[in-house]
Amino acid sequence: MQYRRLGRSGLQLSALSFGSWVTFSTQVDEGAAGELMKLAYEAGVNFFDNAEAYAAGESEVLMGRVLKKMGWGRDTYCVSSKVFWGGKLPTQRGLSKKHVRDACHAALKRLQVDYLDLYFCHRPDLDTPIEETVRAMNELIAQGKVLYWGTSEWRADEIAAAHGVARALGLAGPTMEQPQYNLFARERVEREYLRLYEDVGLGTTIWSPLASGVLSGKYAEGVPKGSRMTLAGYEWLRERLESDAGREKVRKTRELATLAKELGASVAQLAIAWCLVNPRVSTVILGATRPAQLRENLAALELVPQLEAGVLARIEAIVRTKPEPLERF
Ligand code: NDP
């Protein structure tokens, strides 16, 4: 395993980490979740990602039981939660001081830990002043319940605003963002956040490196039984897959698979290794429903040295998703 600093912080996360969105509780029971987490941990993964919204809290319950059962030293792994979608009532959602605090306490209980290493605002909340959220996060930090706080899918100007407020108040701004990043979603990480890496030392814990499995190549010949695209509640993902844009992604993935084969790798490994080439990526959060998938994906690290300029140019020529560079003098 390789370890990378989370932005300008001193925390070193494994370059590949493991998350539970969609999978835990919906596709994977406690036994299988334990098997996957053990496999990840034994490969050097030190960060497990979660959120209050995942399976309406059940995903954290499962992860908490596994953490307890495994008995790993609390100083050997990091665990996260995210606040935003906690329930239907106005007090159970968003980033008000009340919900940030309640959600943190509930996550600690479900995960059966004393503190969260990373705590994310799962989305921006336009109805709560940023200052209120900055103060709420800092109170949790002062109480020792959270170590690093961050955002997920916030715009660059919102992250900068949070830092501005924090600086003025002598408080901690967001250490990290959790954006989507993969061969088909690059704008935020490669363009929008550029200034933030330099100015505030933003770290990134990136999600959906396989674009929800599309970049594994599994949808090349239709939708396999039991895959994410067949799940009730995720029809929106399937609609995207079956749109013109989705079909284009499947076509490009087929071409990427040919290139991956030349390199002696799978297309999933190529897609994950490509994310790792970007030094702005602190950790790539993997998702998996089966140990074989996770084993395959973890081996992507070994492919990174093969992705030199020539190979990267061939990947660009296939995907054609590189954002326009920002103008500089
Ligand atoms: P991916 O894009 O890597 O998709 C993972 C899914 O793809 C697996 O669950 C599996 O689904 C399939 N898959 C994975 N590897 C393979 C393989 N080698 N061969 C075939 N199929 C494979 O990541 P996720 O979308 O799961 O995101 C990863 C994590 O990021 C989440 O768990 C969560 O922690 C975080 N996240 C955060 C978000 C945010 O808003 N902050 C949003 C989304 C995710 P199946 O077997 O069902 O086909």
Side-chain angles (χ1 to χ4, degrees):
M1 184 53 66
Q2 181 196 104
Y3 297 87
R4 296 184 178 190
R5 278 176 61 201
L6 180 62
R8 209 171 277 160
S9 82
L11 185 66
Q12 294 198 36
L13 294 182
S14 47
L16 296 174
S17 45
F18 186 55
S20 61
W21 178 54
V22 185
T23 57
F24 279 27
S25 169
T26 306
Q27 292 174 288
V28 163
D29 64 14
E30 189 181 324
E35 201 182 337
L36 289 164
M37 285 175 64
K38 186 164 183 281
L39 177 60
Y41 184 83
E42 286 175 355
V45 165
N46 71 2
F47 168 41
F48 298 100
D49 186 61
N50 221 318
E52 64 168 346
Y54 296 172
E58 280 307 304
S59 166
E60 291 184 338
V61 170
L62 237 69
M63 192 175 275
R65 288 198 194 125
V66 171
L67 290 173
K68 184 149 195 205
K69 192 164 146 202
M70 297 293 168
W72 300 322
R74 185 65 185 89
D75 58 348
T76 65
Y77 67 87
C78 299
V79 66
S80 74
S81 182
K82 307 187 198 82
V83 49
F84 195 82
W85 292 288
K88 289 203 167 69
L89 299 173
T91 49
Q92 296 173 320
R93 322 173 54 91
L95 302 177
S96 67
K97 181 172 182 173
K98 176 168 176 61
H99 185 53
V100 167
R101 180 179 187 276
D102 289 343
C104 176
H105 289 177
L108 291 174
K109 241 191 213 157
R110 287 190 294 262
L111 288 164
Q112 305 190 53
V113 290
D114 299 330
Y115 66 92
L116 301 170
D117 300 271
L118 281 71
Y119 193 34
F120 295 90
C121 298
H122 211 154
R123 290 294 181 268
D125 176 359
L126 299 182
D127 297 317
T128 300
I130 287 183
E131 179 174 335
E132 180 172 334
T133 305
V134 170
R135 284 187 188 276
M137 283 292 181
N138 276 268
E139 277 178 27
L140 292 171
I141 290 172
Q143 292 164 3
K145 292 170 187 161
V146 167
L147 300 188
Y148 302 90
W149 81 276
T151 57
S152 180
E153 297 295 342
W154 281 32
R155 291 194 320 253
D157 63 301
E158 293 166 326
I159 299 170
H163 271 278
V165 167
R167 208 175 302 122
L169 297 170
L171 298 174
T175 299
M176 66 287 173
E177 224 297 321
Q178 187 165 130
Q180 180 176 189
Y181 186 55
N182 57 55
L183 277 159
F184 301 135
R186 303 169 59 176
E187 180 70 22
R188 282 228 146 111
V189 169
E190 290 184 26
R191 192 179 141 99
E192 187 180 332
Y193 294 156
L194 276 189
R195 184 179 271 282
L196 293 168
Y197 303 131
E198 300 299 331
D199 289 359
V200 302
L202 192 73
T204 62
T205 65
I206 65 111
W207 60 266
S208 286
L210 298 179
S212 266
V214 174
L215 280 161
S216 72
K218 73 193 304 169
Y219 297 107
E221 312 296 338
V223 176
K225 261 194 197 149
S227 62
R228 181 175 294 184
M229 301 294 165
T230 65
L231 299 176
Y234 294 89
E235 291 80 5
W236 55 277
L237 268 180
R238 183 156 183 165
E239 278 164 27
R240 276 189 202 169
L241 177 74
E242 289 172 347
S243 68
D244 288 348
R247 272 194 281 269
E248 183 63 4
K249 287 176 185 167
V250 171
R251 187 191 64 72
K252 287 176 178 176
T253 305
R254 260 195 232 110
E255 282 188 44
L256 290 168
T258 309
L259 173 54
K261 204 168 170 191
E262 267 181 51
L263 301 171
S266 70
V267 64
Q269 290 168 334
L270 181 74
I272 292 164
W274 176 88
C275 295
L276 287 168
V277 169
N278 187 339
R280 300 303 188 186
V281 170
S282 313
T283 183
V284 173
I285 312 177
L286 303 175
T289 54
R290 286 185 257 286
Q293 291 176 355
L294 188 54
R295 248 179 246 118
E296 176 183 339
N297 299 352
L298 287 166
L301 258 180
E302 292 152 33
L303 183 64
V304 177
Q306 285 193 67
L307 299 195
E308 35 74 31
V311 175
L312 292 174
R314 289 176 67 191
I315 293 174
E316 288 296 356
I318 294 171
V319 294
R320 298 182 185 282
T321 49
K322 195 181 179 68
E324 285 292 314
L326 291 171
E327 275 183 41
R328 288 183 199 261
F329 289 113

